[in-house]
Every structure is written in C-alpha cells, then in structure tokens.
C-alpha cells in the first residue's frame, strides 16, 4: 500500500514537472519570438530614421543648389534687362552668366538626383566632385560678377578636410553670399576662413544700413530667417559645431560658424 502511494506521488510530481517544463519551454519560445519581433521593429525604425535623415539632407542640398544659382540668374537677368538697350556687350555678358549658372544648376542636380535614381547599365554618370572650399573662387567670381564685390581672407594652414565638413563650409559661404546679394545694399561682402588646430571657423560679413543710425534694411525679406540658414544650423550641429547669424549693429549681416575638426 505504501509502495503504491509513493509511486502515485512520484507519478504526480513527474506529471507536474512535465507540465511545468512544457510551460517553461512555451514561455521561452514566446520570449524569443517577442525579442525577435522587437529587434525587427528596432531595425525597421532605424532604417526609417536613416531614410528620413537622407531625405532631409537631399532636401537641404536641393535648396542650396536651386536657391543660390537661381538667385544669381535672377539678378543677372535683371541687370541684362536694364542695360540691353544701352550696352549690348554688358547685356550679353550678363546673359552668359545666366546661362552658366543654369548649366551649373543642372549639373549639380543631376549629380544629386543620381543618388536617388542610379543610372542604368551603360548610361553615363556625372562623377564631378561635390562643392568644397577648393571651389570657392568660382563662387566668389559669380557673386562679384552679379554685383557684389567679395573680399576673401584665408588664415591658418589650409589642409584637406573631411568631405562633410568641406561641403558644409562651402554651403555656409554660398548661402551667406547669396543672402547678401539678395538682401544687402550692394556694397561689399567679406569672407574669412580660418584653419585652426581643432576648429574650422567661417565668417561672412556684408554691409548694410546701420541699426544704430536708424537705417532700415531693404524690404526684400529677412536673411536671418528661412530654410537656408536653418538647414545650415542642422548641418553644423551634426559635427558638434554651432552657427550664428544676425544683423550687425554697424549695419549689414554676419554669419559665423565654428566646426570642430577632431569629431569630423
């Protein structure tokens, strides 16, 4: 009798252990499935974040390209219209500048959109380099020809920069000069680029009516607002730097950026 009781108890414990084991395995399986689902969701979220960041970068690139070159084209076309009857040669030069700016725009747009839609096999691809500080002279020449004299000062020891920093530095100067051309008083602009050991510093100044003397800027929009400078602040922030854009008390506008180089 006692033997039967012991046997029954043993069987009961074995059955309970088996049931618990099955429950544990099922719980473990569910935990693995949930973990895999969570990891997949995290991967999908990260992928969506990367896509959104790339779309934002491309939107900023498109804005920079179109805004700058179209602004130059508008200014030059206006100049050509004003002098076409009096000075045919000057009008022709202005129209050639419009044509050149249009060609530059199309080239850069093809380069950028090629990232979104890779060329088919056998199709020619434009592999021209992205704008950088090494291409600053043509930019300054275009702005000066459009009617805004630009003085450039380079200090420190120029050296190759990470591509992202180099492109961002170029875009800062491009946006600031474009705004100066559109919103300034047509006086002059100054660009200063300083290569430091730890930082790249950029400053763009342009002349304008003095706030202290009660002068008012030309009523053609505020260069301190808009997507251009906001996008540049985001770009600079990516590298741990900062960008400041504001009106100068003595007149005009100032854009100043400081970009760390050790984190680039």
């Amino acid at each position: 009798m006692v033997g039967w009781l012991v046997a029954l108890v043993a069987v009961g414990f074995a059955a309970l252990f088996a049931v618990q084991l099955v429950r544990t395995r099922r719980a473990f399986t569910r935990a693995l499935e949930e973990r895999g689902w969570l990891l997949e969701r995290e991967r999908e979220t990260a992928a969506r974040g990367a896509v959104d960041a790339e779309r934002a970068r491309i939107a900023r690139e498109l804005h920079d390209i179109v805004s700058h070159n179209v602004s130059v084209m508008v200014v030059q076309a206006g100049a050509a219209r004003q002098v076409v009857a009096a000075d045919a040669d000057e009008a022709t030069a202005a129209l050639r500048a419009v044509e050149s700016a249009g060609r530059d725009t199309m080239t850069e747009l093809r380069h950028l959109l090629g990232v979104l839609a890779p060329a088919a096999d056998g199709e020619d691809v434009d592999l021209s380099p992205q704008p950088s500080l090494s291409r600053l002279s043509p930019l300054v020449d275009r702005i000066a020809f459009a009617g805004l004299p630009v003085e450039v000062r380079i200090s420190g020891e120029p050296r190759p920069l990470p591509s992202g920093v180099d492109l961002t530095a170029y875009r800062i100067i491009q946006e600031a000069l474009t705004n100066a051309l559109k919103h300034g008083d047509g006086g002059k602009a100054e660009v200063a680029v300083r290569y430091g050991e730890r930082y790249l510093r950029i400053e763009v100044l342009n002349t304008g009516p003095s706030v202290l003397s009660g002068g008012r800027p030309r009523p053609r929009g505020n260069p301190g607002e808009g997507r251009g400078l906001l996008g540049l602040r985001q770009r600079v922030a990516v590298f741990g730097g900062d960008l400041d854009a504001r009106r100068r008390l003595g007149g005009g506008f100032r854009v100043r950026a400081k970009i760390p180089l050790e984190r680039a």
Side-chain angles (χ1 to χ4, degrees):
M1 188 66 178
V2 176
W4 279 103
L5 290 175
V6 172
L8 288 174
V9 171
V11 171
F13 276 114
L16 290 174
F17 178 77
V19 170
Q20 186 63 33
L21 180 62
V22 171
R23 289 177 178 174
T24 301
R25 286 182 176 177
R26 288 177 178 174
F28 180 71
T29 301
R30 286 196 300 270
L32 288 178
E33 291 175 350
E34 290 177 358
R35 179 179 175 83
W37 179 78
L38 289 174
L39 290 174
E40 184 64 25
R41 288 292 301 274
E42 290 177 358
R43 283 194 293 268
E44 291 177 357
T45 300
R48 284 197 298 269
V51 170
D52 291 342
E54 183 64 13
R55 286 177 176 174
R57 184 192 70 80
I58 292 172
R60 291 193 295 270
E61 284 290 306
L62 287 172
H63 172 272
D64 291 344
I65 292 170
V66 174
S67 175
H68 167 71
N69 287 296
V70 171
S71 295
V72 172
M73 293 166 69
V74 169
V75 172
Q76 291 290 356
R81 177 179 54 81
Q82 293 176 3
V83 302
V84 64
D87 192 335
D89 291 338
E90 187 173 346
T92 299
L95 290 175
R96 285 175 177 169
V98 172
E99 180 183 6
S100 177
R103 292 182 183 277
D104 289 344
T105 301
M106 294 305 300
T107 298
E108 293 197 46
L109 286 176
R110 281 196 299 269
H111 175 81
L112 184 60
L113 294 178
V115 176
L116 299 177
D121 292 341
E123 183 179 350
D124 292 335
V125 180
D126 182 10
L127 299 178
S128 57
Q130 285 275 31
S132 65
L133 292 179
S134 64
R135 299 175 62 186
L136 192 57
S137 292
L139 169 65
V140 169
D141 291 342
R142 288 198 302 269
I143 294 293
F145 189 80
L148 180 67
V150 181
E151 178 183 349
V152 179
R153 297 193 306 274
I154 307 293
S155 62
E157 184 178 352
R159 60 185 184 275
L161 299 172
S163 58
V165 172
D166 211 359
L167 175 59
T168 297
Y170 179 92
R171 293 303 188 198
I172 291 170
I173 298 172
Q174 180 186 55
E175 181 73 15
L177 290 179
T178 300
N179 284 338
L181 179 65
K182 292 192 296 184
H183 304 290
D185 64 352
K188 67 175 183 177
E190 300 177 7
V191 176
V193 179
R194 179 181 177 186
Y195 291 83
E197 184 176 345
R198 298 178 55 191
Y199 297 97
L200 177 70
R201 299 176 187 270
I202 298 170
E203 184 175 67
V204 182
L205 308 174
N206 69 281
T207 58
S210 174
V211 176
L212 295 177
S213 61
R216 293 186 177 181
R218 297 164 64 185
R220 296 174 59 183
N222 187 347
E225 300 174 354
R227 293 186 58 188
L229 290 175
L230 291 176
L232 290 177
R233 285 194 178 93
Q234 295 174 5
R235 286 178 182 236
V236 173
V238 167
F239 300 103
D242 57 78
L243 182 143
D244 179 73
R246 64 182 65 194
R247 296 195 181 280
R248 303 164 63 196
L249 290 178
F253 205 78
R254 182 196 75 197
V255 176
R256 180 179 292 169
K258 175 182 175 183
I259 308 175
L261 296 178
E262 68 271 14
R263 294 181 52 180

